Every structure is written in C-alpha cells, then in structure tokens.
C-alpha cells in the first residue's frame, strides 16, 4: 500500500515479545521489562491474522524481532505460519544468538531465510559489560549454529558507541574478510530510556569510513544501509545512519509491537492498536496507520530523544 507521501510500504517488522535474556545498556533497563498482562499481548493467531492482512495490503517481507524473539515459546510455529502466508516472500529474524544452538535448525526448517545477529564488540569483557549478563562464548556458539543450519544470509549488527567500540571498527569490519557475512554498523539511537550515554557516544557513520579508507562503495541492495566492501572481502560493510543522515524519504517499513500497536514510524509517538480486532478491523487500522505514516522521525541526537515513548526492546529496532 502507498502512504500519503507516495512511499510503498512493503516491509513489516514484528516484535513478538519485549522480554529478553540479555540487558544491553542502550536497549533496556537492568531490571528488565515491566510485566504486562498476558491478555494484553498479541496471541499467535492474532500475529498470523496481522501478517495475512499485511500481505493483502502489499507487505512482502517480514522481520521477526523483539525483545529477544527466541525466548518466545512458540517462535518456531510463528515463523512457520508467517512464512506460509500467501504473498509473504521473505521471513527474516533478528536475534542476539543466545538460543540459536537449540533453534537455528528448526527456524531454518520453518522458513526463516536470513538472520541478523547483534554483536557490539569482539572482546569478552566488553561483551559482558554492554549486555550486562551475556557471554561471548555463548554468542560464538550461536553464530556457529547459524552457519551450520545454512541460512541464505547472515548479517552482524553492531551499534556504534563512541568510547566503547570505535577502537574495534577495523577488527569488526575485518570479519568480512574471514566469513561470508555482512557487518553492519548502526548509529546509536537516543531512545526513551536507553542508557546513560553522553554526547560523545553518538558517532556518525562517517566515523566508520574514516577508519576504513580502503573500503569502496557498492550498490545498495534495497535496504537502508549504505554498502561498502573491503578488497578481497566475502561480505559487505553496511552503514545505517538514522541519526546523522536519516532515510525517512525511502522508508518502506511498518512496525508491530508485541502488545498489538502498529507503529508507522520507529521514533514517532503514533500508535494504532489492533489487539482484539478481527481481520476486517485490523485491515482498517493497518490502512489508517500506513496512510498516516509521518514524513520523517523528527530531530534525533544526544539532546533530541526519540518521541517513541518506548525502549527499543518494546519496538524491535
Ligand atoms: N534481541 C534481538 C537482538 O538484539 O538482535 C532483537 C531485538 S534488538 C531491539 C534489535 C536491534 O536493535 C539490535 O541489533 C540492537 O543492537 C538494536 N538496538 C537496540 N537499541 C538500540 C539503540 N538505542 N540504538 C541503535 N540500535 C539499537
Ligand atoms: Fe535484548 Fe536485543 Fe535489546 Fe540486547 S538489543 S537487550 S539482546 S532486545
């Protein structure tokens, strides 16, 4: 479906839970989420009905995210049913990788084509710090399981944080020399309550290019990342710049939270509830949310925080 500004909305990101087995400092508070009533959350059937409605309106790509989607007990079933919806061409999933040793193979068999894994540092002590409770060995086991399961594409997402991982940009980019993966650097976004990061933590994507003078630009692949490649690399470097160079004019996304709110913009306060509605009711709400998609996400920097009113674990990134 086309929004009122002519953007064709083809991509729905579904946060299936706001819960997580890590506590990344930029994403969620140390003491976790304030527990919502079970009855406030979308059921599996409601999620699938939403996907069916979305597909009828022209959505072809779904990303399953969270919170941590793999802590959701029925995640494999949700993925299998989503992939089977007529019109859905691609189901992808974003995960911290912790539960991939158990779930990579079933997810691949359920129809998930591509995986994004999140990793902000290559150093075990810094990984433990930024995730508050994570272990690097666990991440590695998850990555190995993802490769063994044979996903079509694996990408690593790394949030650029000044004073934390800007000294590892080259080392992380060099992963693309060793492995057939894309390494993506994402600018830190100032969410509602996403950690106590000072102004120097907000690095523009250009910082990555300064550190990688040999990287050459390659054509974009339909996503929002600007793509580069190191000579001899097996994968691309992706730069995602929601803060320093927003891409709202080309945004084709819609988001659905685990409590059933459609968000036409990651950083706007606008939310449209589909919880408890039948498919006809959902369709009307989808149409309204898409039509009213904001032109852009507003000022976003260390001082101007996101207007989303939620942390990233509740929206899905
Ligand atoms: N738990 C999964 C994971 O970490 O991959 C999926 C959900 S997580 C919210 C999705 C993505 O959002 C992750 O790559 C994470 O690094 C990113 N993210 C979370 N908070 C962010 C922030 N404040 N700024 C930029 N990216 C953020
Ligand atoms: Fe959990 Fe992902 Fe947020 Fe980290 S970024 S706390 S893994 S939801």
């Amino acid at each position: 479906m086309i929004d009122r500004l002519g953007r064709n909305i083809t991509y729905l990101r579904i946060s299936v839970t706001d819960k997580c087995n890590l506590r990344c400092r930029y994403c969620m508070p140390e003491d976790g989420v304030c527990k919502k009533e079970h009855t406030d959350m979308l059921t599996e059937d409601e999620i699938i009905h939403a996907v069916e409605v979305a597909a009828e309106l022209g959505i072809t790509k779904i990303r399953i995210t969270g919170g941590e989607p793999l802590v959701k007990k029925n995640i494999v079933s949700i993925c299998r049913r989503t992939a089977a919806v007529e019109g859905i061409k691609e189901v992808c999933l974003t995960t911290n990788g912790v539960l991939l040793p158990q779930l990579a193979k079933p997810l691949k068999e359920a129809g998930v084509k591509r995986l994004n894994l999140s990793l902000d540092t290559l150093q075990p002590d810094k990984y433990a710090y930024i995730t508050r409770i994570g272990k690097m060995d666990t991440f590695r086991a998850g990555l190995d399981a993802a490769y063994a399961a044979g996903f079509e594409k694996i990408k690593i997402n790394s949030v650029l944080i000044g004073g934390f991982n800007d000294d590892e940009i080259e080392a992380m980019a060099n992963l693309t020399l060793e492995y057939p993966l894309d390494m993506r650097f994402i600018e830190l976004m100032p969410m509602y309550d996403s950690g106590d990061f000072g102004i120097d933590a907000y690095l523009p994507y250009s910082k990555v290019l300064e550190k990688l003078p040999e990287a050459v630009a390659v054509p974009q692949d339909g996503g929002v990342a600007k793509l580069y490649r190191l000579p001899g690399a097996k994968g691309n470097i992706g730069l995602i710049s929601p803060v320093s160079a927003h891409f709202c004019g080309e945004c084709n996304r819609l988001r659905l939270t685990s409590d059933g709110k459609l968000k036409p913009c990651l950083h706007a306060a606008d939310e449209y509830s589909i919880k408890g509605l039948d498919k006809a009711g959902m369709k009307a709400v989808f149409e309204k949310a898409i039509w009213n998609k904001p032109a852009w996400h507003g000022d976003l920097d260390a001082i101007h925080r996101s207007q989303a009113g939620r942390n990233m674990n509740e929206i899905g990134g």
Side-chain angles (χ1 to χ4, degrees):
M1 181 180 156
I2 309 283
D3 76 1
R4 74 197 149 93
L5 299 174
R7 294 169 296 191
N8 190 11
I9 310 305
T10 56
Y11 182 9
L12 174 66
R13 298 168 75 111
I14 304 176
S15 173
V16 292
T17 178
D18 54 1
K19 298 196 184 88
C20 188
N21 44 9
L22 297 182
R23 294 281 184 277
C24 301
R25 289 172 188 268
Y26 46 74
C27 181
M28 66 189 290
E30 186 163 16
D31 50 3
V33 291
C34 62
K35 222 169 175 295
K36 296 194 178 88
E37 291 298 321
H38 190 63
T39 47
D40 291 339
M41 309 311 267
L42 289 181
T43 63
E44 178 173 331
D45 281 347
E46 283 177 321
I47 291 173
I48 301 306
H49 289 160
V51 173
E52 288 166 352
V53 164
E56 282 168 25
L57 292 171
I59 298 283
T60 56
K61 175 174 173 180
I62 304 280
R63 176 169 300 281
I64 304 288
T65 178
E68 173 47 41
L70 304 195
V71 304
K72 183 99 175 155
K73 284 200 183 68
N74 49 350
I75 187 65
V76 175
S77 172
I78 290 173
C79 290
R80 183 179 303 108
R81 292 176 67 190
T82 298
V85 170
E86 199 183 330
I88 298 302
K89 295 191 183 130
E90 191 173 44
V91 179
C92 315
L93 187 142
T94 304
T95 173
N96 60 29
V98 170
L99 294 173
L100 280 176
Q102 301 93 290
L103 287 168
K105 202 161 169 266
L107 288 169
K108 173 74 173 42
E109 286 165 1
V112 175
K113 286 198 177 147
R114 295 162 170 247
L115 277 192
N116 286 4
L117 276 81
S118 299
L119 178 71
D120 305 316
T121 171
L122 299 174
Q123 298 178 18
D125 55 335
K126 284 167 74 175
Y127 185 78
Y129 169 79
I130 200 73
T131 61
R132 291 196 181 102
I133 47 177
K135 293 197 175 74
M136 186 66 102
D137 286 348
T138 312
F139 176 84
R140 284 215 191 89
L143 184 59
D144 288 346
Y147 275 114
F151 287 95
E152 208 171 84
K153 185 98 189 171
I154 294 180
K155 297 182 183 176
I156 305 264
N157 286 344
S158 188
V159 180
L160 259 183
I161 306 172
F164 175 72
N165 60 7
D166 43 339
D167 59 341
E168 293 190 71
I169 290 172
E170 294 98 323
M172 298 193 81
N174 285 344
L175 289 177
T176 64
L177 300 174
E178 271 180 72
Y179 304 98
L181 55 78
D182 281 8
M183 180 68 226
R184 303 172 355 134
F185 295 97
I186 305 172
E187 290 177 352
L188 175 64
M189 291 177 255
M191 303 307 290
Y192 170 67
D193 175 26
S194 57
D196 194 13
F197 293 102
I199 207 154
D200 296 339
Y202 292 87
L203 295 181
Y205 78 94
S206 53
K207 190 77 185 171
V208 175
L209 293 177
E210 275 170 32
K211 300 256 187 177
L212 304 173
E214 67 283 28
V216 291
V218 295
Q220 272 180 253
D221 61 2
V224 295
K226 299 170 199 28
L227 296 182
Y228 294 81
R229 206 167 174 101
L230 295 175
K234 297 174 178 155
N236 292 329
I237 314 277
L239 304 179
I240 304 177
S241 58
V243 178
S244 74
H246 72 79
F247 32 81
C248 306
E250 290 101 58
C251 183
N252 63 350
R253 301 168 177 195
L254 187 64
R255 292 175 165 83
L256 178 60
T257 65
S258 53
D259 58 350
K261 306 291 191 300
L262 276 175
K263 286 188 75 68
C265 172
L266 168 56
H267 295 299
D270 320 21
E271 296 185 344
Y272 301 80
S273 183
I274 59 163
K275 176 68 194 163
L277 300 181
D278 62 12
K279 281 177 65 179
M282 282 187 189
K283 192 166 186 176
V285 177
F286 263 81
E287 286 170 339
K288 195 167 163 197
I290 292 174
W291 185 251
N292 290 312
K293 187 173 166 68
W296 79 299
H297 59 43
D299 284 328
L300 207 59
D301 51 44
I303 294 148
H304 301 93
R305 302 195 78 79
S306 168
Q307 297 301 302
R310 292 172 178 254
N311 283 327
M312 205 63 105
N313 67 296
E314 294 178 81
I315 310 174

